[in-house]
Structure formats: C-alpha cells, structure tokens
Amino acid sequence: MESKVTEIFGDMVFDETTMKARLPKETFKQLMKTIQGGEKLDPSVATVVANAMKDWAVEKGATHFTHWFQPLTGITAEKHDSFITPTSDGKIIMEFSGKELVQGEPDASSFPSGGLRATFEARGYTAWDPTSYAFIKDGTLCIPTAFCSYTGEALDKKTPLLRSMQAINKQALRVLHLFGNEDVTSVKTTVGPEQEYFLVDKSVYDKREDLIFTGRTLFGAKSPKGQELEDHYFGMIKPRVQAFMKDLNNELWKLGILAKTEHNEVAPAQHELAPIFSTTNIACDHNQLTMEIMRKVAAKHGMVCLLHEKPFAGVNGSGKHNNWSISTNTGKNLLDPGATPASNAQFLLFLCAVIKAVDEYQDLLRISVASAGNDHRLGANEAPPAIVSMFLGDELSEILQCLEEGKPYGIHEKQKMQIGVTVLPEFNKDTTDRNRTSPFAFTGNKFEFRMLGSSESIACANVFLNTAVAEELCQFADELEKSKDFQKDMQALVLKTIKEHKRIIFNGNGYDDAWVKEAEKRGLSNLKSTPEALVHILDEKNKKVLQKHGVYSESEIVSRFEIHNEGYSKVINIEAETMLDMAKKYILPAGSKFAGKLADTIASKKAVCDAADVTYETEMLTKVSSLTSEIYKKVQQLEKDVCDVKELSGDASKTAFFYREHVFESMNELRISADELETIVPKELWPFPSYGDLLFSVR
Ligand code: ADP
Ligand code: MG
C-alpha cells in the first residue's frame, strides 16, 4: 500500500519532478526562476513548456485544457477547449501553444465584477500563475490562472492573494535584514486549512428542497438524539464513510494534495480533513479542489457532501481552521520561538506584528469571513464568536506580561527579562492548543484563525491577514531602520506594542456572555452580521492599508463591497423563496391534512359512541389549527418582506441590511412555528425527512 501511495502521489500534477524530466535543461532553469524568484517569463519559454505539458497531459488521457480560475463567486471556474487542431489532410493533431498557456479569454460576462467591467466589454482575461502547478482533472489539463479585466483590475480571488504575499514578503525581508539575516531572500506565508463537512445519504437529501437549493435545512425540528453525548467526536468512523475517505484521499493524492488527517467531528455525520500545510496560494488552490473532489467522491458513494456553514440548526456548524505562519526560503518558521536570545527577539517582534495587526485590523479579519452562511456560526452561540480576539496561552501571555512590567519570569529566573539578551523561557507548547473557543489562537509555532466558514475560499482571510501583518512589519522596519541602538529600540518597540495592543489578547472562554461585555469595555468590535461587517471595508484606514501595499485598488475595494452585499442578498432571497415554497406546497397542506384527519376521527368516534373520549383529538385539532394559521400568517409576512425588498433602490448595502433585518427575521419566525408543527404531525404525514433521518442517514 505504501509504495502505491508514493506512486500515485502527484501523478496528475505537472510538478517540479515532471518538469525537470520533460523540459530541456535551459527551459527548466528559466521556469524555475519565474516560479521561485518571480522573474518574468519569456514567451519562447512558455511555448516549450506548453508543448511539454500537452504531451504529458495527452499521455495521461487528457483531451482538453482549461484555464482554471477563482472568480468572485467563491468557487472555481473553467471553460474547456480541446487540444485538437485540424490539418490540411482532414485529420487532426493535438496542439497547445505558449500563448494558449499564458493567456486566455473566457467569455466571462456573467461573473460578478461589481461594475468593474461594463457588460459590453465583458471579456476579462486569464493569466497563467506558474507558481501553482498545472494538473489533470477529469481528462482536462487545468492551468491555474489569475483573472483580470483588460484595464488590469483583479476580477478574482487569486490576484489579490498573490499581491498580499508579495507585500508581506517585502516587509518581512526588511525586518529580517535588520536582524542580520542576509541569507534570506524570500519569505512566504504558509497555510494548512482544516476542512469540516457533513455527509448525508443521497436518497434522504433528494427529499429536501432546502438542502438542494440552499445547502442547509430551512426547517427541521430537533432530533431526539443530537450531539449531546459527544459520542461522535473522534469516534469510530463508519465503514461507508471510511470507504469515502479512502477514495477521497486517493483522488487528492493524485492531484498532489497533502491530505493527512481525517476524523469525525462533534456533530453526528460531521467530519474533518486536514492537509499538511503549504504555501498560501497553493493551499488556497488545493482547498478549492478539495471541496470540489469531496462533492464528487461523495456522489460516487451515494452520499452528498454538505459544505454549508450551518446545514442543521441546533447542531454544530462547519468551519475551516486556517493554520497560518510565515517561513523563509532558508527553512525557518518565523513564528517558532527559537533557542537563542537573538532568534527569540526576532520571534517576539514578529509575534508583536501579528498582535498589532489583529488588533488594528480586527474588522478586516471579521469582514474576510463574513457570509450569509457563516452568520449562523459567528456570534450565534457557536464557535467562535464574532468578536475577534487572540489566544496566546497562559505561559506566553505571562512572558509578555513580565516583559512589559520588567519582572523576572518563572521562579528560577533572577534577572528581569530582556529581549535579545535573555533566552525566552521554554514554554510547554501543549498548553497552547487547549482553547477551542478563540477565533485566533497561537498554537506553538503558528496561528490558527478559526472564523472561516467551511464553504468559503480561504483567499480573502489570507489576503487581509497578510496585508495587515505586512503593514505592521512595515511600520516596525520604518522605525528600526533609523535606529542608532537597535537592541534598545527594538526592546522599546516590543514593550510599546504589548502595552498598546494587549486588549486583543484573551485567554478565557469566548462563548461566555461575560466576554461580550468585557470585549465591549476593551473597545473591541463586535460585528454581528455580514451587512454590518461589510460596511467597514470602506473605512478610511482599511482602504488605505489595502491600497498602500498594492493589494486592492480603490475601485477593486468598492466592487468587492458591492459583490459581497449582492451575494448576501441573493443567498437570503433564495432561502426565503425556498421556505415559502416549502411552507405553501408542503407544510401548510400537511397541517391541514392532519387537522382534517383529526376532525374526521372526532366525528366518526362521536357518531359511533357519543361517550367516547376525544380529548387527544380535540386538543390536537385546536393546536394544529392554530399553528397552521400562525404559519399562514408568517408566510404572508415573509412574502410581503420579499416583495418590499424588491422595491428598494439599487443600493447594495441598504438592500443587504433589509434582507438581514426583515426577510431573515421573518424566516426565523416562520421556522419556529413550522418546527413546532413538525413535532406533532405524524411521521407519515410530514413531507420531509426529519433531522433524525438526515443526521443518522449514513450507516
Ligand atoms: P495542532 O496539533 O496544533 O492542531 P497539527 O500538526 O495537527 O497541529 O496541524 C494542524 C494544521 O496546521 C495542519 O494542517 C498542519 O499542516 C498545519 N500547520 C502546521 N505547521 C504549520 C505552519 N508552519 N504553517 C501553516 N500551517 C501549519
Ligand atoms: Mg486544529
């Protein structure tokens, strides 16, 4: 088995080994310069690479190629072209030119652009990203690309991500050179995204319009058994799920994706897959692919993979833990505390940059994970809260406190701690990962940003995180480059940063109501919903930092603001329409039918025997009738809201707020009554599979 895994790993990827084997030496060298050093690629090199890529792909059975890109819809897009080119003798040859590799022109008029691209000038272009390997998926050679408009604005999620990586590279290098690391020539952020998901049986799924149209259940009474026993978490994996995971791993490995661990999650039917971390843009590509392959493999196994953040009310939702760090080309992880005073000082400075970044740009981080689906998790009595805070663990926090107060740390240390002179005391890394409620936790040698939704691309979160940290490193470098006494000034800078930004550090329970009050006292922001969060992307300080580091232009920011608001409104609108449909066509008739049956029973019982007790039937009839009327009224209210929102002007943000404050609230109201009805209507009369049927459908 082991040899088989090593054989299939990366089998469908045009990776470095394959390139080395198939490209002329000179071409390979040139290409590597582009991949590793970011040098511009010569068109003649592209031609040779394209041809080698095509030969390799055709040998592997591919017939088509596509520029694979990540438009602002959050999913990936592809338009397939075949390699065939007719020849004069009526035959064909398989061809693929350098130009086709480097640039494409998808007719992309229907991708959201937030007004960046007038519809008459619909064509954006895709440009090859040689830093992410090409791969074969379903007989198609996929070329990872960036997607831009002809005026150069990014229409995708990848371009800003690459820009943000450049920004942090530039600023981190400045700081590293101050510490004398002249050998370091490039710095990259690394990410390992842990992906949560649910599996349900296809036959049950097919009976739920809400799951089909919206990815989550819009109705559904609590099942008698949920997650209270916690017997699912890390529990035995069911054979059918095991078979799915085996297949999934195989498919991912073929694509060079480092799928590593898998286990059951807290909720029944919930699972998790964690890859080994890689460079951020590759981790992003791979996470998009992972989600796609999960869906496909589940289908092969007669199941449906639910990636929605909250498929079931009252049951744990799904997130994505974005494990993030910064590494140098010399193999050093900059968030790993070192063993010498010098490397400790460097670690502390980078740590301070992250602390300051998270504090000053808490709103950007919150915005980066805002979506209609994630609103059900963040701040809705579930992990993690909408308030951004950082967990450092007791020991590291105490170390910082001792530094700040100029006190010795630990019983054995006699001298007070001094950065760059004292060795940072060894602290127990195991104690850093205990807090599962923190949105942003230090886990020994990396940070885990836990607010991301399970269905979203990880691009946006990393764009904002990279940019915010780049800004702080830039400020540090600006200050320290002028310094005449580096040790002293660095020490002062660290202390100042701890003092000014320690309010963001919180090691307690993030689910606690007391934290909400405490956070408010500390002046931390608590942006509860997507529309509320999104407006802050237009705050001057946020626009400024994104532009300063060349990550987004003003028009790109405004366009994203529009697109995200529109996207939010669309999601809620589809959910509302689906609820109305389900309520009108199924739920109300079911209630009515049950009431009719009860009435018939009462009448027939009484007809046969006037003395017969009809208490149950009568009380139920009253209850069902009143619930049915209530549902009917709430349906009318929701219909009115959906109608009213259409009357609003074209203001995307205002519309999103209306959806949140009216439509969404009416949906919740409707659900309460319908779910109550479900608890009293006989199973054979209820039109949909129950939560019990769904959560325990895979056996
Ligand atoms: P933990 O026990 O703290 O959860 P794991 O080793 O299980 O740590 O890692 C969790 C995730 O973090 C994995 O996806 C892993 O690849 C990733 N990870 C580990 N080190 C780094 C790093 N330096 N940068 C980014 N991600 C990392
Ligand atoms: Mg983890």
Side-chain angles (χ1 to χ4, degrees):
M1 183 64 196
E2 193 190 319
S3 66
K4 206 169 153 255
V5 174
T6 51
E7 258 168 53
I8 64 164
F9 188 83
D11 189 37
M12 290 299 178
V13 186
F14 196 68
D15 55 15
E16 198 174 318
T17 322
T18 315
M19 288 192 247
K20 197 167 185 177
R22 289 185 168 257
L23 293 172
K25 236 194 192 125
E26 199 42 43
T27 313
F28 177 72
K29 246 174 53 197
Q30 291 283 335
L31 185 58
M32 277 305 158
K33 271 193 202 151
T34 303
I35 294 175
Q36 283 158 0
E39 275 181 36
K40 225 177 143 53
L41 195 74
D42 193 87
S44 66
V45 176
T47 305
V48 181
V49 177
N51 202 47
M53 231 185 228
K54 182 256 314 174
D55 287 345
W56 168 79
V58 170
E59 277 170 38
K60 296 257 174 219
T63 50
H64 288 67
F65 71 91
T66 182
H67 276 199
W68 186 77
F69 59 104
Q70 301 173 25
L72 297 170
T73 51
I75 50 169
T76 55
E78 38 197 80
K79 172 186 159 231
H80 298 188
D81 278 303
S82 76
F83 290 124
I84 61 169
T85 306
T87 53
S88 54
D89 55 358
K91 298 243 188 293
I92 55 136
I93 51 166
M94 302 293 257
E95 261 189 347
F96 183 46
S97 69
K99 195 169 161 286
E100 284 171 311
L101 167 64
V102 173
Q103 190 166 322
E105 289 186 34
D107 175 18
S109 48
S110 42
F111 290 115
S113 73
L116 277 182
R117 219 169 351 107
T119 27
F120 61 84
E121 223 289 74
R123 287 195 318 198
Y125 72 92
T126 50
W128 180 33
D129 165 22
T131 62
S132 182
Y133 301 132
F135 57 91
I136 299 169
K137 183 167 62 75
D138 302 328
T140 298
L141 170 68
C142 299
I143 296 142
T145 55
F147 179 39
C148 299
S149 76
Y150 271 100
T151 41
E153 280 124 340
L155 296 172
D156 67 349
K157 302 205 169 211
K158 177 166 217 157
T159 309
L161 182 62
L162 293 171
R163 291 174 184 162
S164 75
M165 288 174 71
Q166 264 171 25
I168 198 168
N169 173 56
K170 185 171 162 197
Q171 305 305 335
L173 281 177
R174 288 176 65 197
V175 171
L176 286 170
H177 291 163
L178 284 168
F179 279 94
N181 301 289
E182 294 307 326
D183 54 332
V184 178
T185 53
S186 103
V187 166
K188 283 188 172 137
T189 54
T190 49
V191 166
E194 299 165 59
Q195 175 74 48
E196 292 181 328
Y197 60 97
F198 279 84
L199 287 174
V200 295
D201 191 86
K202 174 89 162 58
S203 64
V204 193
Y205 169 92
D206 282 340
K207 296 189 185 116
R208 301 265 337 192
E209 220 169 81
D210 46 5
L211 283 180
I212 294 171
F213 293 148
T214 73
R216 75 175 179 107
T217 53
L218 300 167
F219 295 105
K222 208 171 157 290
S223 136
K225 177 171 157 50
Q227 63 192 57
E228 47 283 281
L229 295 178
E230 297 190 342
D231 52 352
H232 187 73
Y233 191 46
F234 277 66
M236 196 197 73
I237 300 175
K238 294 179 186 115
R240 206 168 147 204
V241 175
Q242 193 91 60
F244 157 84
M245 286 177 171
K246 187 171 170 225
D247 223 9
L248 174 64
N249 281 336
N250 263 317
E251 293 305 313
L252 295 176
W253 287 336
K254 279 193 228 163
L255 290 170
I257 298 173
L258 295 156
K260 172 85 172 163
T261 45
E262 52 202 21
H263 59 78
N264 288 351
E265 263 301 326
V266 183
Q270 193 185 26
H271 309 278
E272 182 191 287
L273 180 137
I276 295 173
F277 70 94
S278 49
T279 311
T280 306
N281 67 321
I282 291 173
C284 181
D285 285 0
H286 282 179
N287 182 251
Q288 294 295 125
L289 277 173
T290 300
M291 292 193 285
E292 180 183 334
I293 309 278
M294 275 177 167
R295 288 200 170 101
K296 282 189 183 151
V297 174
K300 263 201 253 166
H301 289 257
M303 298 186 286
V304 177
C305 174
L306 303 177
L307 290 167
H308 194 282
E309 284 74 16
K310 194 74 177 173
F312 307 101
V315 173
N316 244 50
S318 298
K320 194 134 51 183
H321 291 176
N322 191 82
N323 293 276
W324 177 92
S325 193
I326 326 171
S327 285
T328 66
N329 62 313
T330 53
K332 170 140 184 66
N333 176 355
L334 296 173
L335 293 179
D336 202 350
T340 64
S343 61
N344 281 162
Q346 192 179 293
F347 162 74
L348 283 174
L349 196 62
F350 275 92
L351 181 70
C352 281
V354 181
I355 293 172
K356 187 163 185 272
V358 176
D359 187 28
E360 287 182 341
Y361 297 101
Q362 2 169 335
D363 47 357
L364 272 189
L365 293 179
R366 171 66 184 92
I367 291 163
S368 77
V369 298
S371 71
N374 219 12
D375 278 356
H376 297 283
R377 295 175 66 231
L378 306 176
N381 282 328
E382 182 170 332
I387 305 162
V388 178
S389 69
M390 274 174 108
F391 171 85
L392 294 183
D394 291 339
E395 288 192 85
L396 190 54
S397 300
E398 210 180 316
I399 291 168
L400 294 189
Q401 199 185 339
C402 289
L403 280 170
E404 190 195 339
E405 294 169 2
K407 279 198 212 142
Y409 174 79
I411 22 171
H412 303 299
E413 295 269 348
K414 288 275 175 319
Q415 284 175 319
K416 63 178 197 174
M417 287 191 62
Q418 223 184 339
I419 300 153
V421 180
T422 329
V423 178
L424 202 66
E426 276 283 326
F427 59 92
N428 186 356
K429 281 182 194 168
D430 285 347
T431 63
T432 57
D433 200 23
R434 291 292 133 82
N435 190 320
R436 288 179 56 90
T437 68
S438 176
F440 203 98
F442 184 64
T443 53
N445 60 0
K446 60 185 182 292
F447 276 98
E448 189 168 343
F449 183 23
R450 297 177 173 141
M451 291 171 91
L452 287 75
S454 49
S455 70
E456 296 287 310
S457 157
I458 63 168
C460 201
N462 287 291
V463 167
F464 289 174
L465 181 55
N466 290 344
T467 309
V469 176
E471 167 61 19
E472 310 306 353
L473 291 171
C474 174
Q475 289 182 19
F476 288 180
D478 286 348
E479 192 170 329
L480 294 174
E481 277 167 1
K482 291 188 305 226
S483 163
K484 302 234 158 47
D485 184 345
F486 179 68
Q487 280 304 335
K488 187 168 149 262
D489 291 343
M490 185 207 28
Q491 163 116 359
L493 182 59
V494 167
L495 299 192
K496 177 170 167 254
T497 310
I498 297 171
K499 268 201 183 75
E500 286 175 0
H501 300 285
K502 65 180 175 192
R503 63 165 187 171
I504 197 75
I505 299 166
F506 175 63
N507 293 327
N509 180 1
Y511 301 168
D512 207 337
D513 282 342
W515 168 233
V516 179
K517 292 199 190 82
E518 164 69 17
E520 200 181 324
K521 246 196 267 159
R522 293 190 192 185
L524 302 181
S525 71
N526 183 3
L527 302 166
K528 292 201 188 75
S529 71
T530 297
E532 245 180 286
L534 288 179
V535 277
H536 291 282
I537 196 165
L538 301 180
D539 289 358
E540 237 7 87
K541 80 165 174 60
N542 292 336
K543 285 202 297 193
K544 206 171 129 201
V545 75
L546 292 166
Q547 289 177 67
K548 173 176 169 187
H549 295 278
V551 175
Y552 287 119
S553 65
E554 166 101 27
S555 61
E556 285 171 345
I557 295 170
V558 174
S559 71
R560 272 153 187 81
F561 172 67
E562 301 269 311
I563 289 167
H564 285 308
N565 274 305
E566 276 167 20
Y568 174 85
S569 298
K570 277 183 196 158
V571 168
I572 304 289
N573 185 60
I574 293 169
E575 290 183 347
E577 300 277 5
T578 306
M579 274 190 113
L580 287 171
D581 197 64
M582 289 170 80
K584 289 193 290 191
K585 290 206 189 118
Y586 303 97
I587 296 174
L588 286 170
S592 211
K593 190 165 176 187
F594 183 40
K597 285 199 172 214
L598 288 164
D600 287 350
T601 309
I602 294 167
S604 56
K605 268 172 122 176
K606 283 285 174 200
V608 176
C609 166
D610 196 38
D613 190 330
V614 289
T615 314
Y616 162 69
E617 288 85 352
T618 314
E619 282 183 11
M620 274 300 126
L621 179 57
T622 319
K623 177 105 189 148
V624 171
S625 304
S626 90
L627 274 175
T628 314
S629 307
E630 206 173 286
I631 294 170
Y632 183 58
K633 276 197 207 105
K634 289 178 175 181
V635 160
Q636 286 173 319
Q637 178 61 46
L638 182 55
E639 273 179 329
K640 181 177 176 303
D641 292 332
V642 170
C643 228
D644 287 351
V645 77
K646 302 221 162 96
E647 308 278 292
L648 287 181
S649 69
D651 185 323
S653 175
K654 228 164 97 188
T655 307
F657 268 106
F658 191 92
Y659 269 107
R660 172 75 190 187
E661 285 159 9
H662 300 279
V663 178
F664 183 71
E665 289 307 321
S666 299
M667 284 163 58
N668 289 341
E669 281 299 315
L670 171 56
R671 176 171 185 155
I672 291 170
S673 310
D675 287 359
E676 195 181 341
L677 183 65
E678 183 184 348
T679 63
I680 52 172
V681 170
K683 184 144 181 80
E684 79 265 16
L685 291 185
W686 195 251
F688 323 110
S690 68
Y691 263 33
D693 299 333
L694 285 165
L695 289 168
F696 300 94
S697 65
V698 175
R699 270 183 227 116

